[in-house]
Amino acid sequence: MSVLKLISSCLLPLFLLLLIPLADLSAGHIVGGEFTYTCRGWLNNDPNSGIKVYDVRINMYRDCIGQGAFFDGANPSDVPPGLSTAEGNISIYRGTTLVTPTLVISLDNFSDVPVNLGNPCLVLTEEVCQQVGVYEFTVELEVSDESYTLVYQRCCRNEAIINLQVPDEIGITYFTTITPESQLRCNASPVFNIDPPIALCANEPFQIDLGATERENDSLVYFFCDAVVGGGRDGLGPGGPQTATTFDDVIPRIESPPPYTSARWRGPQYSRNQQLGVGSTLTLDSLTGVLSGVPIFRGTFALAVCIQEWSRDSVPLLLSETKREFQLTVNLCGNQVFADLLETEIDDQGRFFIRQCGPGQNTIINESTNIAFIEEYDWVLQGPEGLITGSNRDFTSNITTVGTYEGTMILNRGSFADNCRDTADFLLGVFPSADPDFEFTTPGCDDEPIDFTDLTVPQGTNTITDWRWDFADTTPQDDRQNPRHRYSIPGIFNVELTTTDDNGCIASTTKPLSYFPSPRTLLIEPDEGFGCVPFTKDFINLSRPIDDTYIFDWEFGDGGTADIASPTHIYENNGVYDVYLGVTSPTGCFVDTTFVQLVDVRDAPEAGFTWAPEEPTNILPDFRVFDQSVGANQRRYTVRNRVGDQLFTTPADDFDYTLRDTGSVFITQYVTHPSGCVDTLTKDLRLRLINTYFMPNAFTPNGDGLNDLFEPTGLLVGVTEYRLRVWTRWGELIYTTLDTKEGWDGMFNGRESPGGGYLWDAQYIDVNGDMSSFKGGVVLVR
């Protein structure tokens, strides 16, 4: 069987066996299981019944990688999309006698099995997935001097299993035995405390507690046992075997009786006590159930662990034997514990060197990973007065003597696994402090550079080898000992001096510097020359250095004032204006100036025009434009359509124009004042559309091509919801049309209407959306 078939295999009810490929009937998705039971007591508390009641639980494990079949006996609503489920059943034997041929069981719940690698500091590099399905039910068994066996069987196993011979040709048997002594004592079988491991890490030690508990305080003995064969290959594929009983079916309807055949280990490398292979270490503590070892082979393995329950009588009696069979994967894992410290450098011996500048308290920052896998920190530092120890993640010491001290940090010292432990050796170098200091010239009202002077005094034999000045104004750092710096903007600057000594110790200090001088020259951005009333003037202040903390005093020459750095002012009258600006810094420094004849404001024309008639129509599209501008000595017009194309232009004061194909135009007037100021005005002129409707008072439908139809004339473009009706004088409707291009030909019901008078009415919604109605009489002339 292929791995793909193993993943997609499923257990199905017997009545579906003929509807699916037989190769899909195998139970490769079921990879482990165990039975447990608890005796409640006599049926209805009546010893005379001779029957005891047992609560039975089956834990069934399935491989959930890929799209394998789901657990047997599942509620369809619990089955994930794309999977299937079969009827679940077990058989019950008393000795070798079949008591209950087929006991149907149903899945109560299921959940994911946690990946327990038995090593707290490893992570599996490939995905594994198993789910545990729980079946809980009650059976009533007559007390017997023979053992009862409850059994579940399926074929076949996962072909990827490497420690069993032909795994894809042998099935599985999970069972429990209730001995006569257990029946008499109303015993309960041991219950494993945790789910079995589903994965281990190759070449890494593990330790997993597979211990169990039981309610009677009996003695438990743990040991390795054999995987057990069950089910068969009857009907598996064309020409497959077919035996007389259902015992050998792929899905036995009735499971086979005990004793059961052990699966054959793939020897000599694998055996009951070498289930992970010769060379791997695998031990099971017989008293505690702790499973431990070091697997060296990668692959998929079937494992079996058993528990014998013995009474604590003077002569111990065997009460039960519980078998747990499970499947696990051994694969590569990644170590997760790495010792690392935040160091200054690494010395030639690979030790972390940590520089402490200045005696006193110091904290070594621990950067070891991964924190989730580290449970224990041990620090040891040989200080000047003896050992200094710690157990926190970071290590704090308080050494007041200059020198270099050796130390060690150990992760997970008490772990059983080597990969969980790691060590970092380090040196702590305690050096004299070097506290930097400096001064600077006090800024005045003049925009002058500032001189900075280094005042740093080393505390020991160390000397300063490097200076870094940060003037806090986005300019590059300066590496001179005593620099000079000019600020281009005002403000409060936190100047920082960083020094480095010959021990590599770095220290910094910061001092605030207030720099608010007066600008050397008050400048504003030049304008375009002159403005036209009303003139909006933007005064862009180019003076430097200034910011919003300065006080500004503007006088615009026309009585207007402002108090911001760069104001906007509107001049309502013509004239030439002087502008005054005074600037005061936050420290009281003051400067001012007057910009003589800075603003030239001139008179401006006012564009204006109208036309007549006010609403040109498609019937009367001609109109005349009349100039109404004020103060202009020149003017020009342009006419454009809706998309901006120029249709007409003229310098005349007034002009005539006829609207043609377009129903709307834009007319723009450009006017110029003798001062040079200009003005423009654009208006939108729309052609008003009109519908007209005329009907004749007589017609002659004689076929001569003249006046043969009673039909309308006029302008009917854009008309909607049109209707024309004709009646006889006695009120009989003889003609109706909804088309403006159709007319009455004098016929009614295929016959000529007689000559004489008729009545008509018509209505429509015109192009402007208004309802229009008409009625009258017409004479049909024969």
Side-chain angles (χ1 to χ4, degrees):
M1 171 181 286
S2 68
V3 174
L4 177 61
K5 290 180 179 178
L6 283 170
I7 292 175
S8 62
S9 62
C10 55
L11 302 179
L12 297 175
L14 188 61
F15 63 85
L16 289 179
L17 297 186
L18 298 178
L19 302 181
I20 61 174
L22 293 178
D24 290 338
L25 295 175
S26 59
H29 63 293
I30 299 298
V31 295
E34 73 230 15
F35 276 77
T36 59
Y37 64 85
T38 301
C39 178
R40 286 191 192 177
W42 295 106
L43 178 64
N44 298 324
N45 295 319
D46 181 9
N48 295 323
S49 67
I51 297 174
K52 288 189 176 179
V53 180
Y54 295 85
D55 292 325
V56 183
R57 175 181 173 124
I58 305 176
N59 287 342
M60 198 76 66
Y61 298 90
R62 68 175 288 268
D63 189 341
C64 45
I65 294 290
Q67 293 295 310
F70 201 58
F71 294 104
D72 294 351
N75 187 317
S77 63
D78 292 332
V79 179
L83 303 186
S84 58
T85 183
E87 181 182 272
N89 63 268
I90 68 170
S91 297
I92 302 177
Y93 286 89
R94 181 171 59 240
T96 58
T97 301
L98 186 62
V99 177
T100 304
T102 301
L103 175 63
V104 176
I105 58 174
S106 298
L107 180 69
D108 289 288
N109 58 77
F110 66 95
S111 59
D112 292 338
V113 178
V115 178
N116 178 8
L117 299 176
N119 188 318
C121 303
L122 293 173
V123 171
L124 202 64
T125 58
E126 295 187 11
E127 182 184 9
V128 295
C129 176
Q130 287 189 26
Q131 292 175 326
V132 56
V134 177
Y135 301 82
E136 293 182 322
F137 52 93
T138 301
V139 296
E140 299 172 358
L141 302 177
E142 184 178 358
V143 175
S144 171
D145 56 2
E146 293 185 281
S147 296
Y148 285 97
T149 301
L150 284 67
V151 57
Y152 165 94
Q153 293 178 329
R154 285 293 183 274
C155 184
C156 298
R157 293 176 182 267
N158 188 337
E159 71 172 357
I161 294 173
I162 65 175
N163 60 344
L164 298 180
Q165 295 187 31
V166 291
D168 56 333
E169 296 182 10
I170 59 174
I172 54 178
T173 296
Y174 305 131
F175 67 96
T176 188
T177 300
I178 306 176
T179 65
E181 188 64 30
S182 179
Q183 297 172 49
L184 291 175
R185 298 187 179 211
C186 202
N187 186 54
S189 66
V191 177
F192 286 98
N193 295 325
I194 64 172
D195 290 317
I198 64 174
L200 296 176
C201 298
N203 299 308
E204 298 291 353
F206 72 92
Q207 191 175 90
I208 300 174
D209 186 0
L210 291 185
T213 56
E214 55 82 43
R215 70 183 186 182
E216 290 88 3
N217 195 30
D218 295 319
S219 177
L220 301 181
V221 178
Y222 302 86
F223 59 96
F224 291 121
C225 48
D226 292 323
V228 178
V229 174
R233 297 171 59 81
D234 278 7
L236 187 60
Q242 187 65 50
T243 58
T245 71
T246 69
F247 302 160
D248 297 317
D249 290 348
V250 173
I251 303 179
R253 186 65 175 176
I254 301 175
E255 281 81 357
S256 64
Y260 299 112
T261 304
S262 296
R264 289 179 296 164
W265 300 98
R266 184 173 287 169
Q269 184 175 357
Y270 299 98
S271 63
R272 176 187 300 176
N273 293 317
Q274 295 287 350
Q275 298 186 23
L276 293 181
V278 176
S280 296
T281 303
L282 184 65
T283 61
L284 179 65
D285 191 304
S286 62
L287 298 180
T288 65
V290 173
L291 184 70
S292 60
V294 179
I296 65 172
F297 301 107
R298 297 170 60 189
T300 302
F301 299 83
L303 272 71
V305 173
C306 290
I307 307 174
Q308 285 185 342
E309 179 187 16
W310 295 83
S311 71
R312 294 186 183 273
D313 299 330
S314 57
V315 178
L317 298 174
L318 179 62
L319 301 178
S320 70
E321 183 173 312
T322 300
K323 175 190 290 286
R324 163 180 272 182
E325 187 178 329
F326 56 98
Q327 175 183 296
L328 62 81
T329 299
V330 177
N331 215 323
L332 296 178
C333 296
N335 284 332
Q336 297 298 310
V337 173
F338 304 95
D340 189 19
L341 303 177
L342 180 60
E343 80 286 351
T344 306
E345 59 195 59
I346 303 292
D347 74 357
D348 55 4
Q349 298 181 40
R351 295 175 297 185
F352 296 91
F353 184 80
I354 297 154
R355 181 177 287 105
Q356 177 180 334
C357 298
Q361 182 170 298
N362 180 71
T363 298
I364 300 175
I365 304 302
N366 194 339
E367 295 186 328
S368 302
T369 56
N370 282 329
I371 295 179
F373 298 90
I374 303 174
E375 298 180 352
E376 184 181 6
Y377 300 91
D378 283 304
W379 295 83
V380 177
L381 176 65
Q382 182 64 54
E385 300 177 357
L387 290 179
I388 305 173
T389 62
S391 59
N392 295 326
R393 177 170 173 82
D394 298 329
F395 179 65
T396 301
S397 61
N398 192 352
I399 298 177
T400 59
T401 303
V402 172
T404 301
Y405 307 95
E406 295 184 357
T408 300
M409 187 270 295
I410 303 174
L411 303 176
N412 296 332
R413 181 196 292 269
S415 175
F416 75 92
D418 291 340
N419 64 289
C420 267
R421 300 188 297 271
D422 200 9
T423 300
D425 295 324
F426 64 91
L427 296 175
L428 175 62
V430 181
F431 296 100
S433 61
D435 299 326
D437 191 17
F438 66 92
E439 65 180 6
F440 50 82
T441 55
T442 304
C445 288
D446 294 329
D447 179 17
E448 298 290 344
I450 308 298
D451 292 320
F452 295 86
T453 303
D454 171 39
L455 301 178
T456 305
V457 177
Q459 299 299 311
T461 59
N462 56 327
T463 58
I464 305 300
T465 60
D466 185 74
W467 295 263
R468 288 289 183 271
W469 296 86
D470 184 350
F471 299 114
D473 63 348
T474 72
T475 59
Q477 291 186 345
D478 197 313
D479 60 1
R480 293 174 293 173
Q481 181 178 4
N482 300 302
R484 168 175 287 189
H485 182 71
R486 176 186 289 276
Y487 285 92
S488 61
I489 58 174
I492 298 177
F493 302 95
N494 291 317
V495 180
E496 181 181 58
L497 169 61
T498 301
T499 61
T500 304
D501 66 12
D502 54 355
N503 294 317
C505 287
I506 301 173
S508 299
T509 188
T510 302
K511 293 184 179 181
L513 184 153
S514 295
Y515 184 72
F516 294 98
S518 298
R520 283 176 171 265
T521 304
L522 297 182
L523 300 174
I524 60 175
E525 186 175 83
D527 59 18
E528 62 277 11
F530 68 89
C532 302
V533 175
F535 177 43
T536 300
K537 168 66 175 173
D538 294 324
F539 293 90
I540 308 302
N541 196 337
L542 302 179
S543 307
R544 296 292 181 272
I546 59 172
D547 64 14
D548 290 341
T549 64
Y550 282 61
I551 298 173
F552 302 94
D553 181 18
W554 290 87
E555 296 179 6
F556 301 116
D558 64 346
T561 62
D563 59 1
I564 60 176
S566 297
T568 297
H569 182 66
I570 300 176
Y571 288 89
E572 301 289 351
N573 301 302
N574 66 337
V576 178
Y577 300 94
D578 298 339
V579 176
Y580 168 83
L581 171 59
V583 178
T584 304
S585 77
T587 56
C589 298
F590 175 76
V591 65
D592 67 348
T593 190
T594 298
F595 302 94
V596 178
Q597 297 184 352
L598 178 66
V599 180
D600 181 4
V601 183
R602 303 179 184 180
D603 286 329
E606 182 179 349
F609 64 92
T610 187
W611 58 77
E614 291 185 3
E615 286 190 328
T617 68
N618 53 333
I619 298 175
L620 298 173
D622 298 330
F623 64 94
R624 183 171 181 79
V625 175
F626 299 97
D627 173 42
Q628 292 184 334
S629 62
V630 177
N633 65 342
Q634 297 179 18
R635 56 195 54 78
R636 182 172 60 86
Y637 297 89
T638 61
V639 179
R640 298 181 184 275
N641 60 19
R642 303 295 294 179
V643 298
D645 299 328
Q646 181 173 298
L647 305 176
F648 175 79
T649 183
T650 180
D653 293 349
D654 308 321
F655 68 94
D656 296 315
Y657 192 78
T658 300
L659 288 173
R660 293 179 175 83
D661 297 334
T662 179
S664 178
V665 295
F666 293 102
I667 302 175
T668 302
Q669 183 189 56
Y670 303 87
V671 295
T672 303
H673 189 274
S675 67
C677 292
V678 298
D679 191 20
T680 63
L681 175 65
T682 298
K683 293 185 178 181
D684 181 5
L685 188 153
R686 296 177 181 270
L687 182 70
R688 182 171 176 267
L689 297 177
I690 295 176
N691 295 121
T692 59
Y693 190 83
F694 304 100
M695 293 295 284
N697 55 14
F699 73 111
T700 58
N702 55 13
D704 63 358
L706 298 174
N707 202 26
D708 286 332
L709 293 177
F710 177 60
E711 60 183 351
T713 59
L715 298 176
L716 297 175
V717 177
V719 163
T720 60
E721 299 186 24
Y722 172 76
R723 185 188 66 191
L724 168 65
R725 297 181 296 184
V726 179
W727 287 271
T728 66
R729 287 176 295 172
W730 299 276
E732 181 182 9
L733 179 63
I734 60 174
Y735 177 75
T736 299
T737 183
L738 303 178
D739 189 342
T740 59
K741 296 180 181 180
E742 292 182 355
W744 182 40
D745 60 0
M747 303 294 289
F748 178 59
N749 289 337
R751 301 174 62 183
E752 292 183 349
S753 298
Y758 295 85
L759 301 175
W760 64 270
D761 70 2
Q763 65 179 27
Y764 57 78
I765 296 177
D766 67 19
V767 71
N768 297 305
D770 297 325
M771 177 65 74
S772 297
S773 299
F774 307 90
K775 62 182 177 178
V778 62
V779 176
L780 188 158
V781 180
R782 290 290 182 186

